[in-house]
Amino acid sequence: MTRLPASMRRHLGAAAAIGLLLLVLQIVAIVFAPAIAPYSPVDADPLNSLQPPSTAHWFGTDVSGMDIFSRVVFATRINLLISIVAVAGAFAIGVPIGLVIGFYKNPLSSLVMRAFDFIQSFPVFVLGMALVSVLGQEVWNVAIVLAVLFIPMFARLIRAEVLSLRERPFISAARCSGATDLSIMFRHILPNALTPVIVQVSISIGMAILLTAGLSFIGAGVRMPTPEWGLMVSTGAQLMILGVWWVALFPGLAIVFSVLCFALLGDYARAVTDPSAETIS
């Protein structure tokens, strides 16, 4: 086994720098949205409907006359809020469940795994649409639905690590020293099992952004006039055939750059935290 060449490490570093820059831009948009956006993101102006990009409206206006640049900036808050809350909730619930069902081998653990199998047997969009229809098309409801979809993924990932670690010699040594099951799980196993889960967090945020936009695109996410990237793309897609390209283009690019940001950061986190990622055969 040999380490990756220096050129590859520089490539990973450059990709991480791009991801970090994109993340900083999103944070700036979230914190300073009212100062950055020149117009209200929800106030319609029918007299300025479908104006192309100009000095007055940098990204143009949509069919209701709302400024697209302002809506893209404010939508950063909505999309990242939903995604981060969903992934954080899935992490907080899925990790303890995965830790317990991986540490204890009993019928209850098998039952929980079968429940996860049932959840993951549904197509993501179909299950997401069904749950949002039941809970209602609100921002927090979409975050809850995405958390439910991500919990089995985090639980399975941590369970696989726990199954590998629970038979290691250092766990046997902890048992011999009189450590309780709770102490072994949270002091010895969990810190060593979190590395792949932490990497998955970054990737999952990107997935959540795509799912949030996808649900809104098909009408199962947040509702108008809430500024949300997928909803804006959906509105603009119907106008593309008429040559009105700017309504869908700019929110679509926002989705691309946001997902790219977390994908690049996730790749870098994997390379830093996983020793095997730094080597090649």
Side-chain angles (χ1 to χ4, degrees), residues 141-214:
N141 291 339
V142 175
I144 291 172
V145 167
L146 293 182
V148 171
L149 297 177
F150 285 145
I151 285 173
M153 177 176 60
F154 282 104
R156 284 182 178 276
L157 189 58
I158 199 75
R159 175 180 177 270
E161 293 296 314
V162 172
L163 290 174
S164 172
L165 292 169
R166 66 192 301 272
E167 305 300 335
R168 298 284 181 87
F170 73 93
I171 299 300
S172 299
R175 291 185 187 278
C176 293
S177 67
T180 63
D181 287 352
L182 197 63
S183 175
I184 291 173
M185 283 193 291
F186 288 95
R187 292 186 57 187
H188 300 283
I189 293 181
L190 184 59
N192 291 286
L194 278 179
T195 296
V197 181
I198 292 173
V199 173
Q200 185 63 40
V201 165
S202 178
I203 299 172
S204 296
I205 292 175
M207 293 172 57
I209 292 171
L210 284 176
L211 287 172
T212 301

Side-chain angles (χ1 to χ4, degrees), residues 20-276:
L20 185 61
L21 175 61
L22 293 174
L23 179 61
V24 169
L25 291 176
Q26 292 179 85
I27 292 174
V28 170
I30 291 171
V31 176
F32 299 106
I36 296 173
Y39 300 94
S40 167
V42 295
D43 289 345
D45 184 7
L47 297 179
N48 284 313
S49 174
L50 298 180
Q51 294 294 313
S54 63
T55 54
H57 299 280
W58 294 350
F59 290 177
T61 62
D62 62 12
V63 68
S64 299
M66 292 184 284
D67 182 68
I68 295 174
F69 176 75
S70 300
R71 287 178 62 76
V72 168
V73 171
F74 273 92
T76 308
R77 286 182 170 183
I78 301 298
N79 284 78
L80 263 68
L81 173 67
I82 292 174
S83 302
I84 292 174
V85 168
V87 173
F91 180 92
I93 298 173
V95 167
I97 292 176
L99 182 63
V100 172
I101 64 178
F103 189 80
Y104 295 107
K105 295 181 179 179
N106 53 44
L108 181 59
S109 298
S110 299
L111 181 62
V112 172
M113 289 302 298
R114 299 296 75 78
F116 288 158
D117 290 339
F118 177 76
I119 293 174
Q120 294 185 307
S121 67
F122 289 93
V124 173
F125 270 89
V126 174
L127 182 57
M129 289 174 59
L131 293 176
V132 171
S133 298
V134 172
L135 297 176
Q137 293 178 263
E138 302 294 338
V139 170
W140 293 113
N141 291 339
V142 175
I144 291 172
V145 167
L146 293 182
V148 171
L149 297 177
F150 285 145
I151 285 173
M153 177 176 60
F154 282 104
R156 284 182 178 276
L157 189 58
I158 199 75
R159 175 180 177 270
E161 293 296 314
V162 172
L163 290 174
S164 172
L165 292 169
R166 66 192 301 272
E167 305 300 335
R168 298 284 181 87
F170 73 93
I171 299 300
S172 299
R175 291 185 187 278
C176 293
S177 67
T180 63
D181 287 352
L182 197 63
S183 175
I184 291 173
M185 283 193 291
F186 288 95
R187 292 186 57 187
H188 300 283
I189 293 181
L190 184 59
N192 291 286
L194 278 179
T195 296
V197 181
I198 292 173
V199 173
Q200 185 63 40
V201 165
S202 178
I203 299 172
S204 296
I205 292 175
M207 293 172 57
I209 292 171
L210 284 176
L211 287 172
T212 301
L215 288 172
S216 296
F217 182 86
I218 62 178
V222 298
R223 294 175 292 188
M224 286 289 287
T226 304
E228 196 281 324
W229 292 330
L231 187 60
M232 296 168 67
V233 172
S234 176
T235 302
Q238 305 170 27
L239 303 171
M240 293 287 285
I241 193 172
L242 302 176
V244 183
W245 49 268
W246 57 88
V247 178
L249 176 64
F250 294 111
L253 290 176
I255 295 172
V256 170
F257 288 127
S258 186
V259 174
L260 177 64
C261 161
F262 291 102
L264 293 175
L265 293 177
D267 286 343
Y268 184 74
R270 182 186 294 109
V272 169
T273 58
D274 184 4
S276 64

